[in-house]
Amino acid sequence: MSTQQPPSIDSLRVLHRSDDYIVVDKHWDIRIDSKMWYEKQTVQLQLQHHFPHLADPSTYYGFRFCHQLDFSTSGALCVALNKAAAGRAYRCFKDRTVTKAYLSLLRGWVEHETQTLDFSIGKNSTEGKTHMMCIEGSEGCENPKPCQTELTVLEYGLYDGDPVTKVLLQPLTGRTHQLRVHCSAIGHPIVGDFTYSLGADDSPYRMMLHAYLLHIPLEPQHLCVTAEDPFVPAVDPKWAPQRSPRTLAATVEALLEHRKTKESERGGGRGGGERGKQNKHRKAQEDSEEQRRVCQEWLNEWAGD
């Protein structure tokens, strides 16, 4: 179970380990990696401390991180242990077949228990806010791109006496700060989000956003892990649930079942038997030079080539 203790080199919780991947439960308020010499607490350094024999000296960071989590976000983080594994994971992320779901506590009581948040997000060019993202139409919003998030209410309650809603968030796209910006856009910012409250929400010990579920459809074995829910009274007694429209277990089960249905539909459209194999081979041959170039750039970034 996660605690309110700050991160340390020793505080690395492993959720999954194989010859190709390690999935860790990233602590809140710790960077994944850093080029700055003064950064003493990073996931990169934790991995080097616990698994020095698995570090790849040919890479800049020693480990290939398959995706990113914000500094203030905790939860499931996948690390590839070789270039081939990184390439397979990259393909899943590029094809948007990865399923991710986050737990969060939001300020206020969210009225609509299930909803799709559909706001294009761009870079904020306003002076003093260039480290932030913003929704299309707001002042200083540059190059907004479409993005969607599925929101499902799990519990209503109080946090330190104030109304709060516990939700499951499923990003359907992967824009920077997407969940934080989307929740703020509907008037329910994430509890403890110092940045998007413009410094006002500084009393909680952390930002309440946690990468709970990670499913990567790797072959031949899918990778599916969950990182234990930290938003429970046993961990943070300031959180007092009052009413629960649905359980976390049932919500995640329905989400994964929906994913399996979509996967079956995609598979059915490809044809079966020898014909399906021929179509798959043809599709592989038709991969554009642009796709191969982007893939190689991604690998080179983590490999330090």
Side-chain angles (χ1 to χ4, degrees):
M1 179 70 72
S2 303
T3 71
Q4 296 187 31
Q5 296 300 315
S8 69
I9 286 295
D10 293 319
S11 62
L12 181 70
R13 183 174 177 227
V14 176
L15 303 173
H16 167 88
R17 181 180 172 187
S18 68
D19 291 338
D20 290 328
Y21 303 97
I22 290 179
V23 181
V24 301
D25 188 353
K26 176 188 169 296
H27 200 285
W28 46 271
D29 282 6
I30 185 171
R31 300 189 192 284
I32 291 176
D33 47 47
S34 177
K35 296 179 180 179
M36 304 302 178
W37 62 268
Y38 53 80
E39 288 282 2
K40 304 301 183 184
Q41 303 289 346
T42 65
V43 178
Q44 164 206 357
L45 293 175
Q46 289 179 325
L47 287 167
Q48 288 178 346
H49 175 71
H50 287 271
F51 305 107
H53 58 292
L54 297 180
D56 186 344
S58 70
T59 67
Y60 189 92
Y61 293 113
F63 295 89
R64 296 174 174 88
F65 298 98
C66 297
H67 56 114
Q68 295 289 308
L69 291 178
D70 289 348
F71 170 75
S72 301
T73 304
S74 60
L77 175 68
C78 183
V79 183
L81 297 179
N82 54 71
K83 186 179 284 190
R88 291 195 297 274
Y90 162 81
R91 176 67 66 177
C92 294
F93 279 96
K94 185 184 79 67
D95 292 343
R96 295 187 178 180
T97 57
V98 174
T99 301
K100 296 187 287 184
Y102 294 72
L103 288 169
S104 186
L105 299 183
L106 306 185
R107 291 289 179 189
W109 286 336
V110 178
E111 181 180 358
H112 300 293
E113 294 184 1
T114 59
Q115 55 183 300
T116 300
L117 311 185
D118 191 352
F119 302 95
S120 295
I121 292 177
K123 186 76 174 174
N124 196 330
S125 63
T126 305
E127 185 177 356
K129 298 182 180 180
T130 55
H131 60 297
M132 300 170 65
M133 307 296 284
C134 54
I135 63 169
E136 186 175 21
S138 58
E139 182 182 358
C141 188
E142 290 187 347
N143 192 28
K145 296 180 179 179
C147 55
Q148 292 183 321
T149 301
E150 297 286 355
L151 181 152
T152 304
V153 170
L154 299 174
E155 293 179 308
Y156 294 103
L158 302 174
Y159 187 85
D160 203 16
D162 296 322
V164 160
T165 307
K166 183 175 180 178
V167 299
L168 189 74
L169 300 168
Q170 184 190 1
L172 304 184
T173 48
R175 309 298 181 202
T176 301
H177 295 180
Q178 174 177 323
L179 303 181
R180 301 165 68 180
V181 175
H182 272 180
C183 291
S184 181
I186 63 170
H188 296 283
I190 295 173
V191 174
D193 190 344
F194 185 82
T195 298
Y196 286 95
S197 68
L198 301 180
D201 198 352
D202 61 352
S203 57
Y205 73 98
R206 61 163 291 178
M207 182 178 74
M208 306 302 182
L209 182 62
H210 177 71
Y212 176 73
L213 169 72
L214 177 65
H215 179 278
I216 308 177
L218 299 162
E219 296 296 343
Q221 183 68 42
H222 290 197
L223 191 159
C224 187
V225 295
T226 57
E228 195 166 5
D229 179 3
F231 306 138
V232 294
V235 173
D236 189 350
K238 290 185 177 181
W239 163 235
Q242 294 184 333
R243 183 170 68 87
S244 179
R246 56 188 56 79
T247 66
L248 174 59
T251 304
V252 169
E253 183 180 357
L255 187 157
L256 291 175
E257 190 61 36
H258 179 65
R259 178 203 59 78
K260 282 180 14 182
T261 300
K262 288 176 62 177
E263 192 174 75
S264 297
E265 290 172 352
R266 286 197 300 267
R270 295 190 188 109
E274 190 61 33
R275 183 178 176 182
K277 291 180 182 178
Q278 291 173 357
N279 289 340
K280 187 174 182 180
H281 180 66
R282 189 180 302 114
K283 183 179 184 302
Q285 288 181 322
E286 291 172 355
D287 270 357
S288 67
E289 288 298 325
E290 176 65 13
Q291 287 175 317
R292 284 194 286 271
R293 181 188 66 78
V294 172
C295 181
Q296 191 58 52
E297 284 183 359
W298 186 89
L299 292 173
N300 288 348
E301 179 182 349
W302 297 116
D305 293 340

